């Protein structure tokens, strides 16, 4: 597929915004609650004269969806939800709640891979890491998403909006948002679990505004020309140093803490043991760590992920 | 009691350090785990030639105690633990785990108010608020604790170490540490729940070092002269603005967020509603907010507490 080729997609008539996949990530929970009460802010025009607004059946819609995760404020292990999502698994009332809920989402917003699936799902997350506003892309071939992310990056400049590409099947987790034709993860931080910070709330809100503006323009027939999108491609998961019993024996080094997206080169301090020794990074070449010291990833034995920078070419897109 | 009067106390032979009253506050959990493996760092001399070291029975001791709260990493509501602590309540296997554990602590480290009670209990906590290293004092008449806090403040200067005085029965919660003759709460932040940050870990460790040094000097017979201790006395709990259904409709204002211990004067921005309106502080005179936007206090309907500054006089102290 050459970069001169214009890729066409159907109108994005059905858009969902998930807040509360993790119920203690309060920005998304709060925004979606707000929009369920009053959807004016996420209402957009679509097609020619047709209003794209919040209506669960028919027409165009932007649908805020609350918490297919647990009750807000209650911590639930990551492993109890996302990784268990397998839309093709057999159903049944004996399955864990989260799996039943994932299957229900697949029925409501998928089925995954089908023509009936939702066009776009935004999945709102917070992180305790200093990641700013990060867009998560699950396929480097999704020209619709690449164009959307390019649009958002330009719209919020000079603020930055890193794109994290995670398409390596060894490293990625199944996500419920992936039932849609185009799924976008949004991670905004730093924010502790269970806390709502105004700066993080507003940052997430602005990203969503630009994303919905993009969809509206696309639906109105705007053609987006070819472009290049700088992304950070997930390379490797790094665990905390551990003793023979599996207990953590070191912390993220103060020089690395909060330095998401900044280069880490061989020899740079990476961990600090409880007795004060520095453990340096010993990989090959510069990497760009992110998800540094994320609370939810201790249980995944992940202190951070390394990424490498790439520039992805996005073809021109327009609606069919 | 005049300030010239020297207050005498018995040697502080039995000292306990609680880490993990809240299992997702990782600094205390980690320090206590470390010291249970190797107590050298918290070992101190006591009496004349007698080693004060970690030995559960007899002699002097500094005893690290892990998690009378839940499993580390698992969130448990505050209300399920501390406020239920009532050492005089009837026992029984039908009581919630946390109440049984509190009664067990009272048997092990109390009984509260008795001569057999532990001399000092340190209770290690983290907060998501920007409170730095905060010492929590439960009585303005506890000259031993006042002298200890004065010692710590001088030892860590020019770094600061605010003392939060909470002795108002309408505002304080029962704490398990209060079974000891002298109980000290330590809140160090900001740190998200479930995260271990090296800067917060080291800050807590240093406070404990100075506290144990003070106890060692006291036990060796040093007399501490009268002094004055600046404290922030809890004044009022402030809830988030809510609608008629009890739902939160505003966030801590960005001008107030992270500004623990800084003056808030009438007219200053306090909250920001989700539709962008500023709600100012309308109290009387300057207050000093703290526990601003603490994750664990949403359920207590508390956005922050206000405090007022006071200078407390501590009498001279020495051992009997």
């Amino acid at each position: 597929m050459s970069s001169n080729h214009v890729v066409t997609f159907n109108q994005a008539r059905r858009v969902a915004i998930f807040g509360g996949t993790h119920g203690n990530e309060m920005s998304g929970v709060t925004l979606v609650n707000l929009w369920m009460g009053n959807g004016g802010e996420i209402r957009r025009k679509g097609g020619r004269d047709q209003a794209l607004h919040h209506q669960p059946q028919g027409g165009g819609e932007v649908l805020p969806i609350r918490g297919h995760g647990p009750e807000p404020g209650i911590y639930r292990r990551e492993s109890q939800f996302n990784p268990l999502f397998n839309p093709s698994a057999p159903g049944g009332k004996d399955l864990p709640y989260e799996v039943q809920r994932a299957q229900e989402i697949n029925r409501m917003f998928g089925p995954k891979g089908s023509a009936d699936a939702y066009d776009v799902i935004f999945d709102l997350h917070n992180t305790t890491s200093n990641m700013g506003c990060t867009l998560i892309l699950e396929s480097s071939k999704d020209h619709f998403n690449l164009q959307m992310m390019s649009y958002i990056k330009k719209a919020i400049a000079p603020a930055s909006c890193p794109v994290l590409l995670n398409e390596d099947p060894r490293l990625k987790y199944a996500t419920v948002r992936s039932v849609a034709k185009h799924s976008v993860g949004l991670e905004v931080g730093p924010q502790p679990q269970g806390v709502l910070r105004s700066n993080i709330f507003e940052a997430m809100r602005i990203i969503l505004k630009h994303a919905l503006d993009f969809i509206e323009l696309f639906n109105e027939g705007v053609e987006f020309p070819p472009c290049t999108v700088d992304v950070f491609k997930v390379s490797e998961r790094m665990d905390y140093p551990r003793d023979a019993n599996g207990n953590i024996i070191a912390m993220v080094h103060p020089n690395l803490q909060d330095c998401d997206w900044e280069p880490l080169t061989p020899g740079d301090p990476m961990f600090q043991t409880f007795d004060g020794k520095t453990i340096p990074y010993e990989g090959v070449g510069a990497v760009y760590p992110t998800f540094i010291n994320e609370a939810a990833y201790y249980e995944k034995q992940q202190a951070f992920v390394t990424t490498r920078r790439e520039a992805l070419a996005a073809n021109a897109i327009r609606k069919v």
Side-chain angles (χ1 to χ4, degrees), chain A:
Chain A
M1 190 183 288
S2 93
S3 65
N4 294 323
H5 178 73
V6 178
V7 184
T8 59
F9 298 94
N10 288 327
Q11 266 199 325
R13 301 173 69 86
R14 295 191 306 165
V15 175
I17 303 171
F18 289 176
T21 296
H22 303 136
N24 54 10
E25 296 174 4
M26 300 309 291
S27 305
V29 171
T30 307
L31 280 172
V32 160
N33 278 343
L34 198 65
W35 294 333
M36 288 174 81
N38 181 354
E41 185 176 333
I42 55 172
R43 199 168 295 144
R44 292 294 186 281
K45 289 200 176 116
R48 283 194 178 82
D49 298 315
Q50 182 184 25
L52 255 166
H53 55 82
H54 171 182
Q55 48 185 94
Q57 302 299 327
E61 57 176 335
V62 177
L63 191 60
I65 302 293
R66 180 170 50 199
H68 49 285
E71 178 191 349
I74 300 298
Y75 178 82
R76 191 158 244 159
R77 290 181 184 281
E78 171 81 9
S79 56
Q80 289 176 319
F81 192 58
N82 270 344
L84 291 180
F85 175 60
N86 176 1
S88 61
K93 296 213 167 184
D94 296 338
L95 289 170
Y97 166 78
E98 292 81 0
V99 177
Q100 289 186 44
R101 189 77 175 108
Q103 293 181 344
E104 187 185 338
I105 285 166
N106 192 42
R107 284 191 299 274
M108 289 172 68
F109 300 97
K112 185 170 182 168
S114 76
D116 287 341
Y118 258 57
D119 296 295
V120 184
I121 293 179
F122 295 100
D123 192 8
L124 308 185
H125 289 264
N126 288 124
T127 172
T128 62
S129 305
N130 188 24
M131 289 171 69
C133 289
T134 298
L135 295 163
I136 299 182
L137 178 67
E138 299 192 13
S139 163
S140 57
K141 309 292 182 204
D142 184 338
H143 297 274
F144 182 90
N145 268 356
L146 283 168
Q147 287 285 357
M148 188 197 307
M149 293 177 183
S150 172
Y151 177 92
I152 295 169
K153 277 172 160 290
K154 285 176 190 153
I156 72 160
S160 74
C161 179
V163 174
L164 180 65
L165 170 65
N166 192 359
E167 60 181 354
D168 184 333
R170 294 170 307 132
L171 294 168
K172 72 187 289 188
Y173 298 104
T175 58
V176 288
R177 63 179 176 264
S178 67
V179 302
K181 289 169 187 150
H182 311 285
S183 66
V184 177
L186 179 54
E187 284 280 358
V188 189
Q191 180 172 272
Q193 295 176 345
V195 166
L196 183 67
R197 289 179 63 98
S198 56
N199 60 331
I200 301 297
F201 176 85
E202 295 299 345
M204 182 178 276
R205 192 177 198 168
I206 287 166
I207 296 286
L208 258 290
K209 174 204 151 12
H210 293 309
L212 295 176
D213 288 350
F214 168 84
I215 293 172
E216 183 177 45
L217 291 171
F218 172 82
N219 283 345
E220 286 178 344
V222 171
E223 179 173 318
F224 293 84
C227 67
T228 299
V229 184
D230 291 325
V231 304
F232 293 88
K233 183 173 182 173
V234 173
S235 172
E236 195 180 0
R237 279 193 210 144
M238 304 294 287
D239 189 15
Y240 295 91
R242 293 173 189 272
D243 66 16
N245 299 318
N247 298 313
I248 287 174
I249 57 168
M251 304 168 282
V252 169
H253 193 279
N255 289 20
L256 177 59
Q257 178 69 50
D258 303 327
C259 297
D260 300 70
W261 310 120
E262 294 178 24
L264 181 73
T265 58
D268 284 348
M270 181 169 60
F271 294 109
Q272 184 175 57
T273 66
F274 297 135
D275 49 1
K277 292 190 191 72
T278 293
I279 299 176
Y281 175 63
E282 291 180 336
V284 177
V287 289
Y288 297 84
T290 195
F291 277 119
I292 297 171
N293 211 353
E294 158 58 42
Y297 290 166
Y298 277 76
E299 67 183 31
K300 290 183 178 174
Q301 307 199 322
Q302 180 180 302
F304 60 91
V305 295
T306 64
T307 71
R308 297 191 185 259
R309 299 184 72 158
E310 278 190 21
L312 296 182
N315 283 22
I317 67 164
R318 68 160 182 264
K319 73 170 173 176
V320 174

